[in-house]
Amino acid sequence: MSWVKEGELSFWERFCANIIKAGPMPKHIAFIMDGNRRYAKKCQVERQEGHSQGFNKLAETLRWCLNLGILEVTVYAFSIENFKRSKSEVDGLMDLAREKFSRLMEEQCFLNVCFAYTSRHEISNAVREMAWGVEQGLLDPSDVSESLLDKCLYTNHSPHPDILIRTSGEVRLSDFLLWQTSHSCLVFQPVLWPEYTFWNLCEAILQFQMNHSMLQKARDMYAEERKRQQLERDQAAVTEQLLQEGLPASGDPQLRRTRLHKLSARREERVQGFLQALELKRADWLAHLGTAST
């Protein structure tokens, strides 16, 4: 039987879900699943059992998300900093993750797992990838932008999370999706992750709905500002071209529009070529990693 789809919502959960779905719904939720060790201490069980209950809660939460029409979930499973824990705990977590995530991979859900991850490493890696593109002649230095950096992140195939939820009462992001959550609804809840409930998830969605218009306005304004800045850069580049050719910078408007269109089309062609090369580079790295680990 499907691990994620086991069990059904109760009558009151279905009733509440139908009411919530009448409002704007998140398409993508990110979770910092915090509190497994404190749960184990609270229940006087081994830490490994706390982590196991945390993985079970993830499966249950994915079922709730599917019932609510939330098709993508990203979880912070293990940060680079977590490797500083005791060897026995790290080894136990690795074995548990291998078992649980292998089972989750069989499910019909879109789950992104951030493992051995920090956002600062992700962002610095994206900068290095763009520098590599310039070194290889795939990009012009002027092609480097916030928009391109966004496309170089590990999450480039996913929309940015609408909600980021952290459990256990900690009020910090712990280097998780710092770039992607700049316009997300941040929800910090005191419940320990293994004790998370459907009602906690509903509370987070309600917070998102109450702030939806403000969040959407901020996203739209940011997108418009990025477009405006790119247009200004393009116009400055066209002006420089015209002056270098001995033509008046503010001459024929049709000529300027034609130059702007060509400049934009060439940049888009370079960017797409770079992104394709980057996908191949990453695929080769993953294939080499898989070979090295066997």
Side-chain angles (χ1 to χ4, degrees):
M1 182 180 287
S2 169
W3 188 26
V4 169
K5 296 181 181 178
E6 287 176 2
E8 295 292 335
L9 295 180
S10 69
F11 169 80
W12 289 112
E13 287 173 340
R14 290 198 306 272
F15 180 74
C16 183
N18 288 332
I19 293 174
I20 287 177
K21 285 193 283 188
M25 289 295 293
K27 298 179 178 64
H28 182 186
I29 297 182
F31 290 94
I32 299 177
M33 306 180 294
D34 196 12
N36 292 343
R37 295 201 294 177
R38 273 170 280 178
Y39 170 82
K41 183 177 181 180
K42 174 184 173 182
C43 297
Q44 298 182 329
V45 296
E46 295 293 326
R47 285 180 178 177
Q48 191 74 354
E49 177 61 21
H51 292 307
S52 181
Q53 290 300 319
F55 277 108
N56 291 338
K57 182 57 64 176
L58 172 58
E60 190 175 13
T61 303
L62 290 174
R63 175 170 61 84
W64 298 333
C65 288
L66 285 172
N67 276 282
L68 289 165
I70 300 161
L71 301 180
E72 186 160 358
V73 171
T74 297
V75 295
Y76 202 4
F78 204 79
S79 77
I80 292 174
E81 294 298 313
N82 289 151
F83 283 104
K84 296 178 181 178
R85 295 178 180 179
S86 68
K87 185 177 184 301
S88 61
E89 184 176 1
V90 171
D91 289 346
L93 266 171
M94 295 298 108
D95 292 340
L96 188 63
R98 191 176 297 111
E99 173 198 342
K100 299 293 187 179
F101 284 125
S102 295
R103 191 172 176 187
L104 279 173
M105 285 173 66
E106 301 170 2
E107 306 290 347
Q108 296 299 311
C109 57
F110 202 140
L111 175 66
N112 305 308
V113 180
C114 294
F115 212 88
Y117 166 93
T118 68
S119 187
R120 284 175 292 181
H121 180 271
E122 178 186 25
I123 293 169
S124 61
N125 183 70
V127 172
R128 285 193 296 270
E129 299 288 24
M130 290 188 293
W132 171 79
V134 173
E135 291 170 0
Q136 296 296 312
L138 300 168
L139 294 172
D140 286 348
S142 60
D143 297 331
V144 176
S145 65
E146 287 186 35
S147 177
L148 181 58
L149 191 149
D150 202 39
K151 294 181 175 70
C152 293
L153 297 174
Y154 304 140
T155 57
N156 63 316
H157 294 301
S158 298
H160 289 181
D162 298 294
I163 309 174
L164 184 147
I165 297 170
R166 179 165 190 159
T167 57
S168 86
E170 295 290 341
V171 186
R172 52 195 171 89
L173 297 181
S174 295
D175 214 351
F176 180 54
L177 300 181
L178 300 180
W179 181 280
Q180 297 89 333
T181 57
S182 58
H183 297 104
S184 302
C185 180
L186 306 181
V187 180
F188 300 98
Q189 297 176 302
V191 61
L192 301 177
W193 174 249
E195 297 176 330
Y196 202 71
T197 69
F198 176 78
W199 305 110
N200 294 131
L201 179 59
C202 289
E203 177 196 11
I205 295 171
L206 285 172
Q207 287 194 42
F208 164 75
Q209 291 178 336
M210 287 188 291
N211 292 283
H212 179 261
S213 59
M214 184 172 60
L215 291 167
Q216 191 58 51
K217 182 180 179 181
R219 285 182 175 182
D220 292 344
M221 289 177 62
Y222 175 64
E224 286 300 318
E225 179 62 16
R226 287 211 310 200
K227 288 180 182 178
R228 185 190 65 77
Q229 290 176 357
Q230 185 63 65
L231 180 58
E232 285 185 354
R233 289 194 294 268
D234 288 351
Q235 288 175 335
V238 167
T239 297
E240 185 178 352
Q241 286 179 5
L242 293 173
L243 291 174
Q244 287 177 351
E245 295 172 14
L247 298 172
S250 58
D252 183 359
Q254 180 60 42
L255 177 61
R256 285 189 65 87
R257 284 194 293 271
T258 300
R259 292 291 182 93
L260 277 171
H261 176 72
K262 287 183 178 179
L263 186 73
S264 178
R266 287 170 182 165
R267 180 179 60 250
E268 183 61 23
E269 184 178 350
R270 288 192 301 272
V271 166
Q272 290 306 314
F274 160 70
L275 292 175
Q276 289 173 11
L278 182 57
E279 287 288 331
L280 291 173
K281 179 171 176 273
R282 288 177 172 176
D284 288 344
W285 180 83
L286 287 172
H288 175 74
L289 184 67
T291 303
S293 63
T294 56

